[in-house]
Amino acid sequence: MYKVIAVSMLVFFIIVSLLSVNAQALQRKQITALRVDNPIKIDGVLDEPEYNVAAIASDFVQMQPYNGQPSYKASKVQIFYDDFAIYFGAKLYDTPDSIYSYITTRDNMGGSDYFVVFIDPNNEGLLAYEFIVTPANSQIDMKAVRGTGGDYEDNSWDAVWQSETKIEEDGWTVEMRIPYSALRFSVKDEMVWGINFMRNIRRFNSNNSWNLVDNKISGFLHQSGQLLGVKNINPPVRLSISPYVAQYVENYSGENNYIFKGGIDLKYGLSESHTLDMMLIPDFGQIQSDDKELNLSPYELYYDEKRQFFIEGNELFERGNIFYSRRIGSHPIFSDQLAEKLSTDEEFKFNPATTQLVNATKITGRDKNGWGVGVMNAMTLSAVAEIKNTKTGELRQEVTQPFTNYNVSVVEKVMKNNSYISVINTNLSVFNSPYSANVTATQFQIKDKNQTHQLLGVGRFSHKNTADIKTGYGYVLGLSKIKGNFRYLAQRNVSSNTLDLNDMGYLQRNNIVEHKTSFSYRIFEPFSIFKNWSTEVWWDNTRLFLPNKPVANELSFWTDATFKNNWWLGVYYAYDFAESDYFEPRSTNNRYYVIPEHRVVELNFNSDYNKKLHCNLSSGAYIMNIKNYWGNWFYNHWGWKASSRFNVGYSLSFSNDYNSNGFVTKQNNDSIYFGTYTRATLINTISMGYNFNTKTGAELRCRHYRSAANYSNELLFLEPDGSLSAAYLTDKSNDKNFNAFNVDMIFKWEFAPGSEISLAWKNEIFHADEQVDLSFTENFRNTFKAGQTNSVSIKILYYIDVNVISKYTSKVHGNTHKAML
């Protein structure tokens, strides 16, 4: 593995040395900020005298539909600054009756027009802060990040800032005050920031930007203008604390449990560009419930992270793809092993499903020399199970995971041409146990000066100490053309048979060598009835790493088009050659199951999201080259903007597998048995939201999931050549009927900047049995007879900015001194 990393680094430095020094090949507009002696009053009225002398950013151009053409409506933006904050005033010309304005709470645009400020304080094209305002003054903030697959937006990031809007006779206005504490930057005598402004006009389905964002170039971060003139500032200390208290009342099967929680979050600016985030005794009880599913596959289900601390500012920790934050505070490491060791006379009286997170700390930032640093550390308490002897009644305790420390560290160097190289390490240490896991990865992304071609490389090395020591490695190397109408990708992905990332990362399967080649063609300009159109064809080839044997070959085709009425249509087709599945048999002896040749087709449709009623539809099927072996699926979602305050969403999806074959059991690695089953899955989800104003709103989400797998009584024997034959064994206990019902209802009131009171109700029901022949009504009724967990909680979080306290104290002292005089 060290050789892999060394070769990757050598390739990187050779190519970087050949790149031109000119990192700014794209044309970039410039605007100079005006220093003000008195703060701009944030009231949405552009009446301060400074507006008469400040430079103006105007002449916006379209991103869509006619890239580069003048915007349908004029816009102008002016910029001011002082020692504490940067200010923006914007006039967005339009007809008042035509402005799309919905009343939404924080981080929800709701189909409104909007105005965006992009700020890249490091002027590197790798990270920018987005501040978005709608005509109703709903605030949305995001981070825009350069990832391995291109630029993406992270809406989990939140900051405390001010804005006001006004709708006037000739359009609408915006004023923003963004304190320096919301940004991370290195102070210089005179700073040059990346800056861009964007305006969305819904009725034209048009995005417009100040500095041209060329759609033929991959990514938008490096296509910003430049902000000049911010100099000689002395930003204040960045220190804020957010204490919280929460009271929970939980009820399970009639038994009430009262839980009081309290903790604190802290943010401190270690330097102008590095920030310390810390949380003590965190509380995540009010986040949305996971969408549980019945899993018949050999792979672990992946659930998105919803905890704010672990998703905010996480872009550095995503390098190398070796960190999966859901591992922190997850299922105890030794719980399953303990369950297997229980005697026939023992059962769990209590077995914790998760470990208790007690604190987490992270330091992140980028300096003026292009170095990025990230360190995250978290600790969980010991998880203890209680085991009961069913004959004697005796109780004993077993530790299913001792006190554990989780650590992630990353260093990144930004290179010219929006390129970078990173090294990241994850380490898990279990106290009083030899169990430990360590993974190191390096990742680089190299672009030429014209942003036309990109070389991507990732190297991974894992070291795990359990009963024995195990090491493994993997790497990714890809070359792609990322600019123009015609693009391509060639990529190789290798994971050795001993690579193990899953103590702190997520790797669905190792022991593979995968090659992917793709070609795509895109038309960005409107033509005929189309707004834009793209098509792509790719080939995937997968083999085992050890032994070197074929696994799968897939040829796929995708095309999609957006129509001028903003409807969207996408078509997918794939042909899969016969596959040797080495993972479904759950064998350590490289046993495999031959999946027959099959075809997959899918049709997708979206209506115009800007309309009050809109829908998303998706339908597809797969057909095996075996009679009566096939499956289909259908998904539809309907959204209704009932009023400027109230919205409703409903989703219905179902899928069916007919005469599918899958693993059932094994007596050893040589005697593996499959079963033939028919599976039906139905998911109903309804959501509603009502916003009293932009600071107060309520949301409700209900989801019912049912999946039933009806197995044939006759088992099948997996032959050495991967085929199935009659086993002449019967097993009637394989049927599975799984139900999950969740209700998440939350009311939030942002009573002060960064501070909120939230009231939440959560209801959870999980029910599993073998009654696969019940009707929907009968099954639904039985589900509600199962044990339910109801939780009602109230949480109060208060944001305290030390600078505000300092200003207030200075003012009081100043007034007292004047009075004494």
Side-chain angles (χ1 to χ4, degrees):
M1 177 54 193
Y2 294 112
K3 292 182 179 179
V4 173
I5 296 177
V7 171
S8 298
M9 297 281 286
L10 180 61
V11 171
F12 171 76
F13 286 113
I14 290 175
I15 295 182
V16 166
S17 66
L18 297 176
L19 296 178
S20 169
V21 177
N22 178 16
Q24 312 297 341
L26 300 171
Q27 184 176 358
R28 306 180 70 180
K29 293 181 178 179
Q30 293 182 335
I31 185 171
T32 301
L34 177 67
R35 188 178 185 102
V36 293
D37 296 325
N38 298 309
I40 300 295
K41 183 179 179 181
I42 306 303
D43 56 6
V45 180
L46 314 183
D47 58 352
E48 281 84 0
E50 287 82 359
Y51 280 102
N52 296 324
V53 295
I56 298 176
S58 58
D59 299 326
F60 280 49
V61 294
Q62 296 181 47
M63 298 169 62
Q64 297 96 18
Y66 296 95
N67 191 222
Q69 296 297 311
S71 172
Y72 287 108
K73 295 293 181 179
S75 308
K76 65 178 185 180
V77 185
Q78 295 171 278
I79 309 172
F80 314 90
Y81 75 98
D82 57 24
D83 279 339
F84 299 96
I86 188 166
Y87 305 84
F88 297 89
K91 178 69 176 185
L92 310 169
Y93 293 93
D94 208 341
T95 306
D97 293 340
S98 301
I99 297 171
Y100 282 38
S101 179
Y102 292 91
I103 298 174
T104 58
T105 51
R106 189 177 181 89
D107 291 336
N108 184 7
M109 296 177 189
S112 296
D113 290 1
Y114 56 85
F115 171 74
V116 189
V117 174
F118 292 85
I119 303 177
D120 177 3
N122 296 305
N123 197 28
E124 296 169 340
L126 295 179
L127 183 146
Y129 302 92
E130 297 184 34
F131 301 90
I132 309 170
V133 179
T134 72
N137 197 33
S138 297
Q139 291 184 349
I140 303 97
D141 37 28
M142 302 182 185
K143 273 187 179 180
V145 181
R146 169 62 52 83
T148 56
D151 297 349
Y152 68 93
E153 294 173 310
D154 175 13
N155 63 1
S156 66
W157 178 74
D158 287 321
V160 178
W161 48 289
Q162 293 175 267
S163 66
E164 285 294 339
T165 60
K166 294 283 185 182
I167 296 181
E168 301 177 338
E169 293 182 356
D170 55 351
W172 59 292
T173 59
V174 179
E175 282 191 313
M176 295 184 187
R177 179 187 184 272
I178 301 173
Y180 295 133
S181 60
L183 306 171
R184 300 183 188 183
F185 58 91
S186 299
V187 175
K188 303 176 183 178
D189 292 339
E190 182 171 359
M191 292 174 288
V192 178
W193 290 359
I195 194 81
N196 210 350
F197 311 105
M198 195 188 82
R199 178 187 179 184
N200 179 276
I201 308 174
R202 291 282 184 178
R203 71 182 185 280
F204 296 132
N205 297 316
S206 176
N207 285 323
N208 309 272
S209 62
W210 171 59
N211 198 82
L212 172 64
V213 177
D214 189 342
N215 291 337
K216 293 181 181 179
I217 300 175
S218 177
F220 59 88
L221 278 171
H222 63 288
Q223 299 192 63
S224 64
Q226 291 183 318
L227 174 62
L228 310 177
V230 179
K231 55 185 177 180
N232 300 323
I233 65 171
N234 184 23
V237 174
R238 294 185 292 120
L239 174 60
S240 66
I241 57 175
S242 301
Y244 82 88
V245 292
Q247 178 66 58
Y248 287 79
V249 180
E250 294 184 350
N251 179 283
Y252 180 76
S253 299
E255 295 186 8
N256 289 330
N257 188 20
Y258 299 89
I259 303 171
F260 177 80
K261 295 183 179 181
I264 190 169
D265 295 346
L266 178 145
K267 287 182 181 289
Y268 175 63
L270 299 173
S271 66
E272 301 96 339
S273 53
H274 295 85
T275 300
L276 167 71
D277 289 87
M278 181 181 296
M279 60 177 182
L280 179 64
I281 314 177
D283 172 47
F284 304 115
Q286 293 190 337
I287 63 175
Q288 182 183 304
S289 304
D290 287 328
D291 290 341
K292 301 292 186 179
E293 298 179 9
L294 172 63
N295 184 17
L296 300 181
S297 78
Y299 309 119
E300 175 189 9
L301 292 177
Y302 182 92
Y303 292 106
D304 291 333
E305 179 63 87
K306 300 184 178 72
R307 298 172 296 180
Q308 186 68 22
F309 179 87
F310 293 106
I311 53 181
E312 181 180 331
N314 205 34
E315 64 279 352
L316 277 173
F317 301 110
E318 294 176 350
R319 301 306 191 207
N321 197 25
I322 63 172
F323 178 51
Y324 177 41
S325 58
R326 287 294 297 262
R327 299 296 184 199
I328 301 175
S330 63
H331 189 64
I333 295 173
F334 308 123
S335 181
D336 294 337
Q337 297 177 18
L338 178 61
E340 294 175 356
K341 294 178 180 179
L342 294 184
S343 69
T344 55
D345 299 332
E346 290 182 321
E347 65 180 13
F348 284 112
K349 183 178 180 181
F350 173 72
N351 188 19
T354 59
T355 54
Q356 176 61 51
L357 178 65
V358 287
N359 67 69
T361 304
K362 63 182 176 182
I363 298 172
T364 54
R366 296 178 181 273
D367 66 18
K368 59 185 177 182
N369 297 316
W371 286 99
V373 176
V375 179
M376 181 187 297
N377 197 84
M379 300 178 184
T380 58
L381 296 176
S382 296
V384 180
E386 197 169 46
I387 301 168
K388 179 181 179 180
N389 188 300
T390 55
K391 287 185 176 180
T392 65
E394 182 181 355
L395 297 177
R396 67 182 179 92
Q397 292 184 336
E398 289 283 350
V399 175
T400 56
Q401 181 173 325
F403 186 91
T404 303
N405 188 82
Y406 302 81
N407 183 269
V408 191
S409 302
V410 59
V411 177
E412 179 171 284
K413 181 65 171 73
V414 174
M415 313 297 286
K416 55 193 175 184
N417 303 335
N418 307 113
S419 304
Y420 64 83
I421 184 168
S422 306
V423 177
I424 183 171
N425 173 266
T426 66
N427 180 271
L428 177 140
S429 300
V430 180
F431 283 52
N432 299 320
S433 170
Y435 191 100
S436 64
N438 190 289
V439 179
T440 300
T442 179
Q443 176 175 314
F444 60 80
Q445 180 177 279
I446 305 169
K447 295 185 177 182
D448 62 24
K449 68 176 182 179
N450 295 318
Q451 308 289 302
T452 302
H453 293 90
Q454 172 181 289
L455 177 67
L456 171 69
V458 178
R460 305 185 184 102
F461 176 78
S462 67
H463 177 91
K464 189 167 183 175
N465 185 13
T466 53
D468 55 359
I469 296 176
K470 183 173 68 172
T471 61
Y473 73 92
Y475 64 89
V476 178
L477 192 61
L479 177 67
S480 57
K481 182 176 182 288
I482 58 175
K483 180 180 179 180
N485 299 90
F486 173 72
R487 304 184 187 189
Y488 58 79
L489 165 71
Q491 183 170 292
R492 175 180 169 89
N493 180 11
V494 174
S495 296
S496 74
N497 59 315
T498 52
L499 179 67
D500 190 348
L501 311 180
N502 285 334
D503 285 277
M504 287 189 64
Y506 179 88
L507 180 65
Q508 194 172 77
R509 60 184 188 181
N510 59 8
N511 197 31
I512 63 166
V513 178
E514 182 182 20
H515 295 94
K516 179 177 180 179
T517 305
S518 69
F519 301 93
S520 65
Y521 188 81
R522 307 178 185 185
I523 299 177
F524 299 97
E525 299 298 327
F527 68 100
S528 183
I529 62 173
F530 300 103
K531 188 175 179 180
N532 54 60
W533 173 77
S534 69
T535 188
E536 182 176 9
V537 60
W538 65 92
W539 171 67
D540 276 305
N541 172 266
T542 306
R543 302 182 65 87
L544 278 191
F545 174 82
L546 190 70
N548 182 14
K549 292 185 177 181
V551 173
N553 273 294
E554 180 184 78
L555 185 63
S556 305
F557 169 80
W558 168 263
T559 186
D560 70 270
T562 303
F563 298 87
K564 288 184 176 178
N565 63 358
N566 217 37
W567 287 11
W568 175 86
L569 186 68
V571 178
Y572 171 78
Y573 176 81
Y575 185 85
D576 289 81
F577 297 87
E579 176 180 344
S580 298
D581 189 341
Y582 286 85
F583 307 96
E584 181 65 23
R586 279 81 154 173
S587 169
T588 58
N589 292 339
N590 289 322
R591 296 291 302 278
Y592 62 93
Y593 162 60
V594 175
I595 300 176
E597 294 183 5
H598 57 280
R599 296 169 295 280
V600 182
V601 62
E602 184 176 80
L603 181 67
N604 300 272
F605 168 78
N606 294 343
S607 68
D608 186 354
Y609 177 78
N610 299 322
K611 304 298 183 182
K612 286 194 171 184
L613 183 66
H614 61 274
C615 69
N616 303 336
L617 305 175
S618 178
S619 182
Y622 67 89
I623 302 173
M624 298 286 185
N625 282 2
I626 293 179
K627 186 177 181 181
N628 297 326
Y629 185 176
W630 66 291
N632 65 346
W633 59 90
F634 176 75
Y635 168 83
N636 76 103
H637 170 80
W638 293 85
W640 177 37
K641 301 181 183 76
S643 70
S644 62
R645 302 174 186 270
F646 182 54
N647 62 83
V648 180
Y650 174 70
S651 299
L652 170 67
S653 67
F654 65 80
S655 61
N656 297 286
D657 298 286
Y658 298 100
N659 299 306
S660 183
N661 295 318
F663 173 85
V664 171
T665 187
K666 63 181 178 181
Q667 295 178 354
N668 52 57
N669 279 330
D670 294 321
S671 299
I672 301 172
Y673 298 94
F674 275 48
T676 299
Y677 62 88
T678 294
R679 179 178 179 180
T681 301
L682 180 68
I683 310 173
N684 279 282
T685 307
I686 186 169
S687 59
M688 291 183 287
Y690 185 84
N691 302 307
F692 301 91
N693 52 52
T694 59
K695 305 297 182 183
T696 310
E699 294 182 354
L700 171 68
R701 183 179 187 264
C702 302
R703 174 183 182 264
H704 175 230
Y705 170 94
R706 191 227 178 163
S707 187
N710 187 359
Y711 281 80
S712 169
N713 294 335
E714 301 293 331
L715 295 184
L716 301 171
F717 182 75
L718 180 64
E719 299 287 353
D721 64 356
S723 63
L724 298 174
S725 63
Y728 304 105
L729 294 175
T730 60
D731 188 345
K732 299 181 180 181
S733 62
N734 297 313
D735 292 348
K736 293 177 174 61
N737 178 40
F738 177 75
N739 286 265
F741 181 82
N742 296 90
V743 178
D744 293 272
M745 184 175 183
I746 189 164
F747 169 86
K748 286 187 178 182
W749 172 34
E750 187 181 346
F751 62 90
S755 306
E756 68 178 29
I757 297 175
S758 56
L759 177 65
W761 170 49
K762 298 181 70 173
N763 174 264
E764 294 183 346
I765 305 174
F766 301 110
H767 177 60
D769 57 32
E770 298 175 3
Q771 301 183 65
V772 297
D773 56 347
L774 296 179
S775 68
F776 176 82
T777 304
E778 291 173 323
N779 177 76
F780 196 69
R781 189 183 301 119
N782 280 359
T783 298
F784 274 85
K785 292 178 182 179
Q788 301 185 29
T789 300
N790 274 282
S791 172
V792 177
S793 61
I794 183 169
K795 181 176 180 179
I796 303 173
L797 181 144
Y798 192 74
Y799 174 83
I800 302 172
D801 188 337
V802 173
N803 291 302
V804 174
I805 297 177
S806 180
K807 287 182 185 179
Y808 176 77
T809 304
S810 300
K811 183 177 180 181
V812 171
H813 288 172
N815 290 339
T816 303
H817 181 67
K818 289 178 182 178
M820 292 176 64
L821 293 176

